[in-house]
Amino acid sequence: MRKKGKEAEMKYWKKNSLHLVQIPDSMRVELIPCLPEGELLIHTYARLKKEGRELPILLMNANFFHLDGGYSISGMKYSNGTVIERSLGGYFVYCDTSGKVRIDTGQGKRIGDFTRMRWALESSPLLLPSLEASAHMEADIALQEHPRTAIGITEDSVILAVTDGRPAGLTCQKLADMMRQAGCHTALNLDGGRSSQLVVEGKQLNRQWLRRKVYAALAIYS
């Protein structure tokens, strides 16, 4: 699938259970953090449309996050500049001041280190250039086959990847291998399981029978 007109550079394909979308690094990528009480992303798209907001051509789950101090695998920076300082030693994907998506491959950073960027969020494990899990990602989870979500960077594009739901699934190593095959030199695992959702123009592309409301999304705009 190649989109026409302004979206002509977006490419979609599927390899086994993995859905992949490639966008040029010139496309606008935004973080929509802390969705109200959590939402399925098809409902996020419908809500934005009802509110007359600018519609993203693509929505993908980012990470699981609770404002009330509940379970979280990551800290996050609001896209409007408000910072939530809750780092758990993971890896960060962020959008720099020029609008380019980057992945920081070093541990020990905190969300406050990215306050000058447009947005940033933390997750684990790092998939590429090598598989590296932070302390809050249990090693056995990375070794198990689960539905997965990932973001990767090539020389001139961003790759978004979401698997189908159970019984489909990948280990983090297999996901890393497939992201490398897609051309990524750097990639980061995001939230998975029932959170894995890929929505293009209001339609969810990945098969996911049991879905979880998510609290943050990555949005692609033409």
Side-chain angles (χ1 to χ4, degrees):
M1 176 178 72
R2 288 182 181 270
K3 306 303 291 183
K4 297 180 180 180
K6 292 182 179 180
E7 302 160 21
E9 298 302 319
M10 189 174 86
K11 177 185 176 183
Y12 164 81
W13 72 102
K14 186 179 180 184
K15 186 171 183 179
N16 299 325
S17 66
L18 187 65
H19 301 255
L20 298 114
V21 176
Q22 182 177 31
I23 62 169
D25 58 13
S26 58
M27 263 189 177
R28 181 160 59 97
V29 183
E30 300 288 356
L31 172 67
I32 305 178
C34 304
L35 296 168
E37 299 181 358
E39 288 182 322
L40 299 180
L41 292 187
I42 56 171
H43 296 163
T44 301
Y45 185 91
R47 176 175 60 82
L48 294 174
K49 185 175 183 179
K50 183 178 180 180
E51 294 172 356
R53 306 268 294 277
E54 180 183 9
L55 289 176
I57 57 175
L58 182 150
L59 286 166
M60 185 181 80
N61 63 293
N63 59 349
F64 186 63
F65 188 83
H66 272 301
L67 276 177
D68 62 4
Y71 174 72
S72 171
I73 62 167
S74 62
M76 139 180 344
K77 175 183 180 294
Y78 274 84
S79 54
N80 67 6
T82 300
V83 174
I84 297 176
E85 184 71 61
R86 187 177 178 177
S87 174
L88 294 176
Y91 301 87
F92 284 88
V93 55
Y94 64 97
C95 184
D96 68 18
T97 54
S98 69
K100 302 292 186 183
V101 176
R102 312 286 189 187
I103 295 174
D104 193 296
T105 60
Q107 287 199 54
K109 300 290 182 66
R110 298 182 66 85
I111 196 73
D113 294 326
F114 298 90
T115 54
R116 289 182 295 176
M117 304 303 166
R118 289 173 54 174
W119 55 260
L121 64 90
E122 181 187 12
S123 194
S124 182
L126 183 71
L127 299 173
L128 297 174
S130 60
L131 184 60
E132 301 286 345
S134 64
H136 71 266
M137 167 61 79
E138 296 180 14
D140 61 338
I141 294 178
L143 294 173
Q144 295 167 3
E145 292 186 342
H146 290 293
R148 304 281 182 184
T149 300
I151 185 168
I153 310 296
T154 76
E155 292 302 321
D156 57 3
S157 65
V158 176
I159 302 285
L160 307 170
V162 180
T163 67
D164 286 326
R166 292 183 174 87
L170 297 171
T171 65
C172 282
Q173 184 60 66
K174 181 61 176 177
L175 178 59
D177 293 342
M178 295 181 76
M179 295 298 280
R180 192 188 305 276
Q181 291 168 16
C184 298
H185 55 71
T186 315
L188 180 65
N189 181 68
L190 300 179
D191 192 22
R194 292 187 290 124
S195 295
S196 290
Q197 296 164 46
L198 178 66
V199 172
V200 176
E201 295 180 339
K203 179 181 179 181
Q204 182 166 325
L205 298 187
N206 67 308
R207 177 179 53 80
Q208 182 71 291
W209 300 115
L210 294 173
R211 294 172 292 183
R212 178 191 293 126
K213 293 180 179 181
V214 300
Y215 291 80
L218 290 173
I220 312 300
Y221 296 88
S222 60

